[in-house]
């Protein structure tokens, strides 16, 4: 029994000595000077790493522009999107509850285009880029929603949905510095043998050059991109069947036929109206 008690005391004593040995002054197996050297080493080591990281970040930030992304290869050409924000538009023209959400989306989207707000912007000349490279505060060209006429929501608050001739707004995504050549415009076709009559606002689906270039969200805070309203003039034979419609930006150097990207310069959506 005595041997067991002695061994237990030795183990307890060895643990205590490991934590702090009063004879050698060691704490967890090291003296104070040893711990100080280790602490100093890691302080210098991690300080050096922090300094290297800070220097690297500083050098990288010097190469960046606050307003323009450095690399824009993947967004050199804009994509197209539509409003209302749905690629499957289905409703019964006699049931307002089925199309009210589409109408609300259009009304909300067009709020920044209200004529009262756009009056504060510049009345820019047509068919000319609005160059402002040397100007610190960028101005914005007017794009009044009244230019969309029958699809403006002003004369017809239902945007044609109540009569079964809905309006679709086509917009081109913003790309900083984009200057499309030629005569860019939106053209839509229905994917079937017989054509579908459509009206474009502005006339001929024009994307006027005065709305380019775009200088970025910070510099061009109040910028509104040009949009084209497409009114689908559905006839009796067009109801109760799904129509696949493709809209493209044409007449310029912008790409619209990349099979890998279905939204590059074009957009496809489906419309089905019942009565």
């Amino acid at each position: 029994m005595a041997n067991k008690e002695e061994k237990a005391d030795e183990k307890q004593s060895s643990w205590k000595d490991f934590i702090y040995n009063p004879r050698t002054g060691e704490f967890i197996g090291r003296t104070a000077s040893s711990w100080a050297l280790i602490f100093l080493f890691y302080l210098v080591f991690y300080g050096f790493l922090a300094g290297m990281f800070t220097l690297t970040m500083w050098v990288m930030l010097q190469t960046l522009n606050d307003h323009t992304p450095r690399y824009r290869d993947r967004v050199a050409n804009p994509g197209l999107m539509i409003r209302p924000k749905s690629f499957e538009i289905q409703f019964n023209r006699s049931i307002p509850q089925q199309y009210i959400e589409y109408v609300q989306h259009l009304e909300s989207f067009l709020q920044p285009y209200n004529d009262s707000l756009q009056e504060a912007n510049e009345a820019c000349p047509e068919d000319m880029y609005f160059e402002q490279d040397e100007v610190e505060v960028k101005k914005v060209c007017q794009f009044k929603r009244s230019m969309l006429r029958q699809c403006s929501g002003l004369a017809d608050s239902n945007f044609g949905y109540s009569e079964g001739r809905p309006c679709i707004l086509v917009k081109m995504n913003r790309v900083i510095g984009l200057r499309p050549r030629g005569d860019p415009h939106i053209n839509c076709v229905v994917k079937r043998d017989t054509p579908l009559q459509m009206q474009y606002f502005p006339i001929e689906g024009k994307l006027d050059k005065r709305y380019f270039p775009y200088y970025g969200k910070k510099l061009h805070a109040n910028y509104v991109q040009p949009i084209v309203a497409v009114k689908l003039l559905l006839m009796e034979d067009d109801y109760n069947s799904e129509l696949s419609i493709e809209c493209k930006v044409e007449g310029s150097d912008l790409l619209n036929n990349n099979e890998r990207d279905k939204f590059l310069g074009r957009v496809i959506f489906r419309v089905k109206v019942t009565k």
Side-chain angles (χ1 to χ4, degrees):
M1 294 293 293
N3 291 334
K4 291 182 178 180
E5 290 178 356
E6 288 177 1
K7 290 181 178 179
D9 291 339
E10 289 178 359
K11 289 182 178 179
Q12 186 175 3
S13 176
S14 65
W15 275 107
K16 289 181 179 179
D17 289 344
F18 174 73
I19 295 174
Y20 177 70
N21 192 328
R23 295 186 300 275
T24 60
E26 293 179 348
F27 176 72
I28 313 182
R30 292 184 180 275
T31 63
S33 60
S34 177
W35 279 115
L37 289 173
I38 290 176
F39 177 77
L40 179 62
F41 169 78
Y42 281 107
L43 180 64
V44 173
F45 176 70
Y46 285 113
F48 175 77
L49 291 181
M52 284 293 293
F53 176 77
T54 303
L55 178 62
T56 303
M57 291 296 296
W58 180 82
V59 172
M60 184 190 70
L61 291 174
Q62 301 311 303
T63 67
L64 301 180
N65 188 304
D66 290 339
H67 310 297
T68 306
R70 183 174 179 82
Y71 298 106
R72 295 178 291 161
D73 296 343
R74 297 186 62 183
V75 291
N77 285 272
L80 293 187
M81 292 296 290
I82 64 168
R83 292 294 184 274
K85 199 172 183 179
S86 175
F87 298 114
E88 299 280 348
I89 300 175
Q90 299 184 22
F91 64 94
N92 187 313
R93 66 178 184 177
S94 302
I95 306 177
Q97 292 79 2
Q98 291 190 10
Y99 60 76
I100 187 63
E101 185 177 357
Y102 300 135
V103 171
Q104 291 173 346
H105 282 176
L106 294 175
E107 182 61 35
S108 176
F109 176 75
L110 288 175
Q111 284 303 305
Y113 294 85
N114 283 338
D115 289 19
S116 58
L117 296 177
Q118 291 299 313
E119 285 291 346
N121 294 330
E122 297 292 309
C124 305
E126 296 184 11
D127 299 321
M128 293 178 58
Y129 297 130
F130 191 27
E131 301 282 1
Q132 304 178 77
D133 295 340
E134 306 301 325
V135 181
E136 184 175 353
V137 179
K138 313 300 183 186
K139 297 181 180 180
V140 179
C141 291
Q142 294 180 1
F143 192 106
K144 300 179 179 179
R145 66 184 293 179
S146 58
M147 295 169 57
L148 303 180
R149 298 174 59 189
Q150 298 179 37
C151 288
S152 65
L154 300 176
D156 177 12
S157 59
N158 289 317
F159 295 92
Y161 284 77
S162 60
E163 61 179 355
R165 292 187 164 188
C167 290
I168 308 295
L169 303 184
V170 182
K171 73 181 188 73
M172 191 163 64
N173 294 337
R174 302 177 183 184
V175 175
I176 296 176
L178 178 68
R179 294 171 175 82
R181 299 176 183 177
D183 182 24
H185 61 276
I186 299 297
N187 184 55
C188 301
V189 295
V190 62
K191 293 188 174 183
R192 67 178 187 185
D193 295 335
T194 57
L196 175 67
Q197 288 190 347
M198 306 179 194
Q199 280 184 310
Y200 297 91
F201 308 102
I203 301 299
E204 297 179 349
K206 186 176 182 179
L207 295 167
D208 201 282
K209 291 181 180 179
R210 57 182 160 178
Y211 303 108
F212 303 95
Y214 169 58
Y215 288 95
K217 189 174 183 180
K218 288 186 177 180
L219 294 177
H220 235 156
N222 298 320
Y223 176 83
V224 291
Q225 68 254 56
I227 55 179
V228 171
V230 183
K231 188 174 182 64
L232 307 179
L233 303 179
L234 303 183
M235 308 299 288
E236 289 296 322
D237 294 340
D238 299 320
Y239 296 129
N240 304 314
S241 61
E242 186 177 78
L243 304 175
S244 179
I245 300 172
E246 180 180 49
C247 295
K248 291 183 177 183
V249 56
E250 297 182 346
S252 72
D253 59 339
L254 301 178
L255 301 179
N256 61 11
N257 57 358
N258 191 326
E259 291 302 323
R260 292 185 177 182
D261 190 343
K262 300 296 184 181
F263 296 96
L264 189 64
R266 59 178 172 172
V267 62
I268 300 174
F269 57 94
R270 294 179 176 84
V271 176
K272 183 177 181 180
V273 180
T274 58
K275 58 179 181 174

